[in-house]
Amino acid sequence: MLLMKIEKFLREFHIPPTRFGRDCVRDPRLVFDLRLGREPGARVSRRIEHFMNTYRRSHGQ
């Protein structure tokens, strides 16, 4: 599940949810909305996955 991956990512890199959403898809409410049941579309999901993968590579993990 995408939300579980995001939550793990936030803990791993100590990133606030609002910063993650803003940096990832320009939506500071993204994580909060996902926690409330929002289902992202395929395009948003790909952007989130791409952001996390790129961030991991650039931060050596």
Side-chain angles (χ1 to χ4, degrees):
M1 181 174 196
L2 183 58
L3 180 57
M4 290 172 41
K5 289 180 184 180
I6 293 170
E7 296 287 4
K8 182 180 177 196
F9 180 86
L10 295 177
R11 284 190 306 274
E12 183 178 344
F13 292 100
H14 307 285
I15 297 174
T18 51
R19 179 177 156 212
F20 175 83
R22 190 177 294 115
D23 291 351
C24 187
V25 293
R26 293 188 219 151
D27 179 2
R29 293 203 38 83
L30 172 71
V31 176
F32 299 110
D33 289 346
L34 292 174
R35 289 173 180 166
L36 292 173
R38 174 178 164 189
E39 292 290 331
R43 184 174 178 202
V44 171
S45 294
R46 284 192 305 271
R47 286 179 66 186
I48 292 168
E49 292 280 358
H50 176 74
F51 175 83
M52 291 191 296
N53 292 335
T54 302
Y55 194 95
R56 276 193 183 97
R57 279 193 301 270
S58 68
H59 289 79
Q61 295 200 5

